[in-house]
Amino acid sequence: MCMMKSFLTFHCYPAAGLEFMQLPREQSPPDRWFVTNGVVVVGPVAFGVLTHGVVSGRIPQGSLVRHESWNVWRGFDDVEGLSSAGLKATVSELAHLSSQLEERAAGPLSDPPPPPSREQLVSELSKSPRQDTNATPRQPRVDPVGVLSHAETLQAALPLTLSTVAKAVAADIALLHRVRMDLGSTVTMYTHGVGTEHLLGEKLLEGDPTLSAARANRTVIVEPEPGEVGRHIAGRLGRSAEGLRGMAMIPLFVHGTLVVLVEVARIFRPFSAKDIGRAEDVLAVLGERAVVQGWFE
């Protein structure tokens, strides 16, 4: 039994008279969730604890949540209104897609849909913005050092890196691709946003100019008149959401080798260089922790 004292602290007490037993495989995944606002991460806790935390103001609005069985982050707002049956179905569906990631990544390479033509993309990006782009938005506060300091493994660090990047740039969509030396491919390992889950386990084609730009250690911000790299970034991100106004790709090198690249997108406004600089800072923290922990040696 867990009682929330603050967003940072949980006190857990044993439930008297209960015995633990192995659940049958066909039952739903245990009710274990993580929540982060980009500054701290809490979990695993029951979903009811999250709901109570938001209602009481201990968990900030706009926080991201991830079920323990998922490789996907969602905004708490995306799941809090679901019925009990709807939440159970969502947990099961995303858990299943996440569990199939390795099988898909190890399978034959399949061609994704072609990216939009330059003319199509220019037309989309030139549409009137949905909100005032002259207003200076408040920069979300993030603390990647604090968030990643508790990650003892690369498997724990990567989803936290993606959620912190997403919060840092207020992204609606975010994808983390990891260079998998064991598979000889770059694989989509973690995602953020509704509709991104179907990209899990997908491999970037060797001919994708996004991969070439990442290997050249180039950060790419998709411009209103994009080139080939921008077209492919937009094609991939656009498969999860329509009306994207800002898109970018940021690579991470460790020991001189590309290990991770992150793609981000948002609907309301384009990204600025300052926005993407904040994402680069988050990835730099991952790189520093990876060196200290020896994750890529």
Side-chain angles (χ1 to χ4, degrees):
M1 177 180 189
C2 293
M3 297 180 64
M4 177 178 282
K5 300 296 184 182
S6 69
F7 184 65
L8 292 172
T9 306
F10 284 85
H11 293 278
C12 296
Y13 308 92
L18 293 182
E19 295 182 357
F20 292 99
M21 61 182 293
Q22 186 173 358
L23 295 176
R25 287 186 178 182
E26 65 269 13
Q27 290 198 11
S28 300
D31 187 23
R32 292 163 62 87
W33 296 80
F34 294 90
V35 58
T36 180
N37 63 346
V39 178
V40 294
V41 61
V42 171
V45 297
F47 189 78
V49 177
L50 299 186
T51 303
H52 178 73
V54 172
V55 171
S56 65
R58 294 189 177 99
I59 294 179
Q61 291 287 342
S63 293
L64 305 183
V65 297
R66 180 176 71 86
H67 190 272
E68 187 179 53
S69 63
W70 296 357
N71 284 47
V72 179
W73 288 95
R74 289 279 177 88
F76 184 73
D77 294 346
D78 295 325
V79 296
E80 68 170 333
L82 296 175
S83 65
S84 177
L87 180 63
K88 182 177 179 180
T90 298
V91 169
S92 296
E93 178 189 3
L94 297 187
H96 175 72
L97 290 171
S98 298
S99 71
Q100 297 296 306
L101 188 156
E102 289 296 331
E103 180 180 346
R104 187 179 184 191
L109 191 65
S110 58
D111 290 338
S117 68
R118 185 174 178 276
E119 291 73 20
Q120 289 175 316
L121 196 50
V122 168
S123 175
E124 283 296 316
L125 294 175
S126 63
K127 290 180 179 178
S128 300
R130 300 188 183 187
Q131 69 179 35
D132 184 8
T133 56
N134 293 320
T136 301
R138 180 181 178 182
Q139 293 290 345
R141 181 181 170 226
V142 295
D143 179 18
V145 174
V147 170
L148 293 177
S149 64
H150 301 291
E152 297 298 331
T153 65
L154 180 63
Q155 185 177 1
L158 291 181
L160 292 176
T161 298
L162 184 64
S163 63
T164 309
V165 168
K167 292 299 296 182
V169 303
D172 297 298
I173 300 293
L175 311 175
L176 187 145
H177 314 287
R178 180 183 170 189
V179 178
R180 293 282 299 269
M181 302 302 294
D182 57 326
L183 298 176
S185 299
T186 302
V187 180
T188 306
M189 298 294 298
Y190 297 94
T191 70
H192 158 63
V194 176
T196 61
E197 59 272 10
H198 296 288
L199 298 177
L200 289 172
E202 187 170 290
K203 294 176 280 192
L204 273 65
L205 299 178
E206 277 299 311
D208 190 325
T210 310
L211 196 52
S212 299
R215 287 170 174 164
N217 203 8
R218 289 174 48 206
T219 292
V220 177
I221 301 177
V222 178
E223 299 178 345
E225 296 189 7
E228 283 300 296
V229 179
R231 285 182 55 234
H232 282 75
I233 293 173
R236 187 162 34 252
L237 293 168
R239 288 161 59 193
S240 298
E242 296 181 354
L244 298 176
R245 300 304 313 285
M247 291 165 279
M249 180 278 292
I250 310 101
L252 172 65
F253 277 66
V254 175
H255 301 308
T257 301
L258 176 68
V259 294
V260 162
L261 55 146
V262 170
E263 294 178 309
V264 291
R266 64 189 182 194
I267 296 172
F268 292 126
R269 60 184 186 276
F271 290 114
S272 67
K274 184 177 181 180
D275 290 329
I276 301 307
R278 287 162 58 83
E280 290 176 326
D281 290 343
V282 176
L283 286 177
V285 172
L286 172 63
E288 291 164 4
R289 184 144 183 82
V291 169
V292 171
Q293 298 293 110
W295 288 334
F296 293 106
E297 293 180 356

